[in-house]
Amino acid sequence: HGPVSRLLTFALCVAVVLGAFTAHTADAGRLRHLDVQPLDYAVNRIAVIGDSYTTGSDQGGNGPQGWAPQAWRALTEHGIAVTPTVAAEGGAGFCTRGNRGGVFEDLTVRAVKPTDVLVVFYGSRNDMDVEPTRLSVAMYGTLSLARQIARSAQLLVIGPPWPTADPPAKILRVRDVLSYQAELAGATFVDPIAAGWFVGRPELIGADGVHPTDAGHTYMAEKIAPLIAAELHPY
């Protein structure tokens, strides 16, 4: 009976070890549930949708020099942790397809997640030649889509900037339609044209007269980071 006895002893040992492992795993699971999840929620998940003012261009704002990475660094320095997803495409707008074929609706699908606490739209001057009714419908659909995906997120809609004090009527029309649709969507609307972003600061815009330089991206980060902070901590 010696081998059988040893086998039973071995089986009992295995059962005890497995039982202890299972209990430990259950405890670990409970700990993960208690400790890690609140930590996840403490991180502010943000989606940004934009055009070349966000991607950067040959005039500046590429990689870490872009306004978005600079804004994340500034927020972190002020104790606001963010997990950003940026989907931006040169030439894109709510109606106008960018250099990779996307409009803001496509970028919304790519960037926005159900756990996002904030969705930021920035632009776009690329919609200047779009018929206003068509533009309004596209804006409504895109902002509604963001609301459907991230149901508890705040929306921050930043209108298109213009580098001079005399913006053309076409860009003002884009701004006005977007302001109206942002209000319908319950979003915070920020108007760079009314605020005079870039005006009288030629060093902030590149030689092409359109795209921001590295200094221009730093300037945008200084403008936009506080707007994001205000949405994340409204009180």
Side-chain angles (χ1 to χ4, degrees):
H1 298 291
V4 173
S5 178
R6 284 195 295 274
L7 189 61
L8 281 171
T9 303
F10 175 74
L12 283 169
C13 286
V14 168
V16 169
V17 169
L18 282 175
F21 177 77
T22 303
H24 175 74
T25 304
D27 287 342
R30 280 192 288 273
L31 285 172
R32 276 198 296 273
H33 179 72
L34 289 171
D35 296 334
V36 178
Q37 281 191 346
L39 190 64
D40 286 347
Y41 288 127
V43 175
N44 297 290
R45 301 178 187 280
I46 300 173
V48 177
I49 290 92
D51 55 21
S52 58
Y53 269 59
T54 298
T55 63
S57 70
D58 57 2
Q59 305 295 311
N62 293 290
Q65 303 304 317
W67 75 257
Q70 293 190 63
W72 312 144
R73 290 195 294 273
L75 290 165
T76 301
E77 287 168 9
H78 286 83
I80 302 173
V82 296
T83 300
T85 302
V86 179
E89 192 172 313
F94 285 93
C95 266
T96 308
R97 298 204 172 274
N99 52 26
R100 295 180 185 174
V103 293
F104 278 11
E105 183 177 9
D106 302 314
L107 303 180
T108 298
V109 170
R110 192 182 309 165
V112 179
K113 305 290 188 294
T115 51
D116 287 340
V117 296
L118 176 64
V119 181
V120 181
F121 290 90
Y122 184 17
S124 169
R125 63 180 283 155
N126 298 314
D127 286 320
M128 281 199 297
D129 293 325
V130 178
E131 192 273 321
T133 303
R134 181 168 164 254
L135 183 58
S136 191
V137 168
M139 288 173 173
Y140 175 83
T142 302
L143 297 178
S144 297
L145 177 63
R147 277 258 179 259
Q148 289 165 19
I149 298 172
R151 294 186 179 274
S152 60
Q154 300 290 107
L155 294 186
L156 172 62
V157 178
I158 304 172
W162 195 261
T164 66
D166 54 345
K170 284 182 177 182
I171 197 70
L172 295 176
R173 188 176 63 204
V174 172
R175 185 268 315 270
D176 292 345
V177 174
L178 185 54
S179 172
Y180 174 72
Q181 288 299 338
E183 184 181 355
L184 277 186
T188 299
F189 181 71
V190 174
D191 183 2
I193 293 174
W197 288 16
F198 301 108
V199 174
R201 300 283 302 277
E203 77 280 6
L204 302 180
I205 298 294
D208 65 359
V210 174
H211 295 98
T213 58
D214 283 347
H217 276 265
T218 299
Y219 173 86
M220 287 191 289
E222 291 168 354
K223 295 288 187 184
I224 296 172
L227 299 174
I228 290 173
E231 291 300 313
L232 297 177
H233 298 284
Y235 305 111

